[in-house]
Amino acid sequence: VQAASNDVTLVASDLPSNQFGFFLNSLTQGFAANPGGSQGNLCLAGAIGRYNMPVLSTGAMGSMTQVLDLTNTPTPTGSVSILAGQTWNFTAWYRDVNPTATTNFTSAVSIDFQ
């Protein structure tokens, strides 16, 4: 993916319908089993940013989409630009009801920016 093109859209599908969630990012891959009581595993580590404005809904189709602005990437210390030569990792964190109210994560994806 060309960082300069600023044309990336994340899609999470096969999620429970009508639940809330948002996407997370990090430069670092990792593994945390059931963080905060979640039933899923978080595959990010280090400084984790979140795209939480607005909070997304999975809607009736059980999917959510996030158009990224590569010049305004959230991190815990403020927004940064994604640069050529970097690899960023993304996952979605969403409310789940399996079998009771909890949260879960999608599989993470890594994107190499050129």
Side-chain angles (χ1 to χ4, degrees), residues 19-65:
Q19 298 297 315
F20 294 104
F22 51 84
F23 286 89
L24 305 171
N25 70 53
S26 180
L27 283 166
T28 309
Q29 294 180 359
F31 180 82
N34 312 107
S38 173
Q39 71 175 13
N41 301 318
L42 177 60
C43 295
L44 305 180
I48 297 174
R50 57 186 173 156
Y51 300 90
N52 61 348
M53 297 302 284
V55 173
L56 303 172
S57 173
T58 62
M61 300 302 292
S63 66
M64 55 187 188
T65 302

Side-chain angles (χ1 to χ4, degrees), residues 1 22 34 72 79 91 107:
V1 174
F22 51 84
N34 312 107
N72 190 25
S79 295
T91 190
S107 297

Side-chain angles (χ1 to χ4, degrees), residues 1 3-5 8 11 17 19 21-23 26 31 35 41 48 54-55 74 82 84 88 94 96 100-102 104 111:
V1 174
S5 70
V8 176
V11 178
S17 60
Q19 298 297 315
F22 51 84
F23 286 89
S26 180
F31 180 82
N41 301 318
I48 297 174
V55 173
I82 291 179
W88 283 78
Y94 59 94
D96 204 348
T100 61
T102 185
N104 209 336
I111 301 176

